[in-house]
Amino acid sequence: MGCEVSAASVPPKRHLCDLRMGDLALELAGLGLAEKKARYHAKQIFNWVYQRKVTDFEAMTDLSKLVRSHLKENFDLTPLGKVFEQKSVDGTQKFLFQLSDGKTIESVLIPAQDRLTICISSQVGCAMGCKFCNTASQGLMRNLEVHEITRQVLELSRVANITNIVYMGMGEPLHNFENVCRSVEILLSQEGLNFSKRKITISTSGLVPQIRKMNERLVGPNRVNLAISLNGSYDSQRESVMPINRAFPIEELMQACRDFELEPHRRITFEYVMLGGLNDNLEDAERVMKLVEGIPSKINLIPYNPHPASPYDRPKEEKVEAFHRYLLDRNVSAMIRHSRGRDILAACGQLKSKFDEVVSVAQ
Ligand code: SF4
């Protein structure tokens, strides 16, 4: 009998950006390094990858040869493949990245006066089926790995001075719970990209058990902001646009928000996409006001951006104004957020990989 080893039996290398600082220190301790030394090297490596942004282990010149060759043999450090980028007339930039299995995801850079926000994806496609959302029509293809989340930020931080991160791109972040939590820990790490926890927001369609889990899991230095995609003021209305509401009705969702422990001066953001003629009446405004009563919160009113596959209309400007005024007059913190990047389908609810179209246009 032959004893052939096929190329397929060699496991693919793990990407280094999958590892938190503690994971990396453990990995190095496995080489026989003392704990303190392993932690020191882990810090050095984080510094090389996230601050000096090198993409070659050989460039990490202050590491011992043993550590460098171990990393080289066992880990991958290739950058995320950027295949396409588009810039909107308002300065918003959309990037399409291709993953190692050929699937594609999108990230968006949104400039504002005093900040530059990156909106990142957490899944390829999404299972939540929100009716106003372009990504929903893809269904869920798979969860992103930790490194596929962190590298969206790392790649774009090479070319832009990013100040804020929102998990609001493709996918439901809390449906990929553990990988999203780990990516947050890496992005917050002082030796990593060193973001402040106040500058990172995880947005959810309302997965109540995972909101409660996040309350337990991301604590202390890892307590990032929570945003809820509300989009409806009563159950049957919300259900008609967000099927997840059947599993977790509004009352349960609001209770989970009330139970979510907020640090002083922190608030939960409620995103409210205003759909013309559906959820944009003053009766809706009154119900929304009552729903958030007692929760330190702010409400973002987002006039809907129609896209090709959606049945909804943009709300009339005067209805948006009246809704906003109703809330302000009753001391409810609310803002109208006009989505950015409408001309390049980078606005809220419009993300969907366009790789096939992009490739066919490019050919
Ligand atoms: S809005 Fe978010 S949660 Fe809903 S389908 Fe789209 S990507 Fe998924």
Side-chain angles (χ1 to χ4, degrees), residues 61-181:
T61 46
D62 54 2
L63 297 180
S64 69
K65 222 171 159 199
L66 170 78
V67 172
R68 245 185 299 159
S69 36
H70 177 77
L71 293 177
K72 217 169 147 183
E73 274 162 33
N74 296 284
F75 292 95
D76 179 17
L77 194 55
T78 50
L80 203 53
K82 197 171 8 144
V83 287
F84 188 69
E85 61 181 89
Q86 247 181 322
K87 193 166 188 174
S88 160
V89 287
D90 65 20
T92 301
Q93 282 175 283
K94 184 165 76 167
F95 299 85
L96 186 73
F97 292 109
Q98 186 166 32
L99 309 173
S100 55
D101 61 358
K103 299 209 167 17
T104 55
I105 51 165
E106 291 171 343
S107 317
V108 182
L109 281 180
I110 308 153
Q113 234 168 18
D114 55 344
R115 61 186 186 275
L116 179 61
T117 303
I118 183 172
C119 175
I120 56 174
S121 296
S122 54
Q123 296 180 309
V124 184
C126 184
M128 297 301 128
C130 303
K131 297 286 190 293
F132 56 85
C133 171
N134 205 19
T135 303
S137 60
Q138 286 186 321
L140 175 64
M141 288 185 229
R142 70 169 173 86
N143 281 334
L144 292 189
E145 300 293 335
V146 176
H147 68 89
E148 292 167 331
I149 302 173
T150 51
R151 283 194 294 156
Q152 294 171 58
V153 185
L154 178 59
E155 288 321 320
L156 297 186
S157 71
R158 294 182 203 283
V159 292
N161 191 13
I162 298 167
T163 59
N164 295 57
I165 301 172
V166 291
Y167 285 75
M168 280 186 200
M170 297 168 70
E172 158 57 64
L174 296 187
H175 195 208
N176 185 12
F177 187 81
E178 187 53 33
N179 286 354
V180 162
C181 289

Side-chain angles (χ1 to χ4, degrees), residues 39-315:
R39 262 191 284 126
Y40 178 70
H41 279 322
K43 275 187 185 179
Q44 283 178 305
I45 296 167
F46 255 56
N47 185 282
W48 279 114
V49 174
Y50 294 104
Q51 295 187 3
R52 299 202 227 178
K53 304 188 201 312
V54 302
T55 54
D56 182 356
F57 293 114
E58 286 304 330
M60 303 179 182
T61 46
D62 54 2
L63 297 180
S64 69
K65 222 171 159 199
L66 170 78
V67 172
R68 245 185 299 159
S69 36
H70 177 77
L71 293 177
K72 217 169 147 183
E73 274 162 33
N74 296 284
F75 292 95
D76 179 17
L77 194 55
T78 50
L80 203 53
K82 197 171 8 144
V83 287
F84 188 69
E85 61 181 89
Q86 247 181 322
K87 193 166 188 174
S88 160
V89 287
D90 65 20
T92 301
Q93 282 175 283
K94 184 165 76 167
F95 299 85
L96 186 73
F97 292 109
Q98 186 166 32
L99 309 173
S100 55
D101 61 358
K103 299 209 167 17
T104 55
I105 51 165
E106 291 171 343
S107 317
V108 182
L109 281 180
I110 308 153
Q113 234 168 18
D114 55 344
R115 61 186 186 275
L116 179 61
T117 303
I118 183 172
C119 175
I120 56 174
S121 296
S122 54
Q123 296 180 309
V124 184
C126 184
M128 297 301 128
C130 303
K131 297 286 190 293
F132 56 85
C133 171
N134 205 19
T135 303
S137 60
Q138 286 186 321
L140 175 64
M141 288 185 229
R142 70 169 173 86
N143 281 334
L144 292 189
E145 300 293 335
V146 176
H147 68 89
E148 292 167 331
I149 302 173
T150 51
R151 283 194 294 156
Q152 294 171 58
V153 185
L154 178 59
E155 288 321 320
L156 297 186
S157 71
R158 294 182 203 283
V159 292
N161 191 13
I162 298 167
T163 59
N164 295 57
I165 301 172
V166 291
Y167 285 75
M168 280 186 200
M170 297 168 70
E172 158 57 64
L174 296 187
H175 195 208
N176 185 12
F177 187 81
E178 187 53 33
N179 286 354
V180 162
C181 289
R182 286 173 184 233
S183 70
V184 163
E185 287 163 352
I186 293 171
L187 296 170
L188 288 171
S189 166
Q190 251 179 23
E191 290 76 14
L193 286 166
N194 194 21
F195 279 91
S196 149
K197 62 182 180 179
R198 291 171 179 271
K199 304 287 184 183
I200 299 183
T201 301
I202 295 180
S203 173
T204 176
S205 59
L207 294 182
V208 167
Q210 281 82 350
I211 293 171
R212 295 190 178 283
K213 219 165 136 189
M214 176 177 161
N215 190 37
E216 304 289 321
R217 171 74 163 76
L218 293 178
V219 293
N222 296 327
R223 180 54 122 210
V224 293
N225 302 310
L226 174 66
I228 306 287
S229 204
L230 187 60
N231 311 331
S233 65
Y234 57 96
D235 279 327
S236 58
Q237 182 196 59
R238 186 166 189 265
E239 245 169 67
S240 75
V241 284
M242 301 185 75
I244 189 67
N245 196 80
R246 266 180 237 131
F248 307 112
I250 292 180
E251 203 183 310
E252 275 183 45
L253 174 60
M254 289 301 157
Q255 193 51 49
C257 292
R258 284 200 175 79
D259 296 341
F260 193 83
E261 288 152 47
L262 290 168
E263 291 176 351
H265 313 300
R266 307 289 290 277
R267 294 184 285 178
I268 294 178
T269 304
F270 289 92
E271 309 283 348
Y272 193 89
V273 175
M274 298 188 69
L275 303 161
L278 192 109
N279 63 1
D280 58 350
N281 295 312
L282 289 184
E283 293 76 19
D284 291 301
E286 186 185 356
R287 282 188 287 265
V288 167
M289 176 186 73
K290 288 185 178 152
L291 287 175
V292 301
E293 218 165 53
I295 304 175
S297 59
K298 56 182 170 179
I299 299 172
N300 284 338
L301 302 173
I302 307 160
Y304 179 64
N305 301 296
H307 63 75
S310 136
Y312 302 114
D313 295 324
R314 200 174 166 75

Side-chain angles (χ1 to χ4, degrees), residues 2-56:
C3 188
E4 290 175 10
V5 178
S6 73
S9 66
V10 179
K13 288 181 184 175
R14 190 170 176 194
H15 201 284
L16 195 74
C17 295
D18 246 356
L19 272 57
R20 295 164 295 179
M21 180 94 81
D23 304 326
L24 189 51
L26 268 179
E27 174 76 26
L28 298 176
L31 288 177
L33 298 182
E35 199 188 317
K36 207 169 157 194
K37 191 143 197 185
R39 262 191 284 126
Y40 178 70
H41 279 322
K43 275 187 185 179
Q44 283 178 305
I45 296 167
F46 255 56
N47 185 282
W48 279 114
V49 174
Y50 294 104
Q51 295 187 3
R52 299 202 227 178
K53 304 188 201 312
V54 302
T55 54
D56 182 356

Side-chain angles (χ1 to χ4, degrees), residues 317-331:
E317 205 59 49
E318 55 271 23
K319 288 202 116 178
V320 177
E321 294 293 342
F323 200 112
H324 186 211
R325 176 56 43 211
Y326 182 95
L327 295 175
L328 291 185
D329 286 348
R330 286 152 188 83
N331 294 322

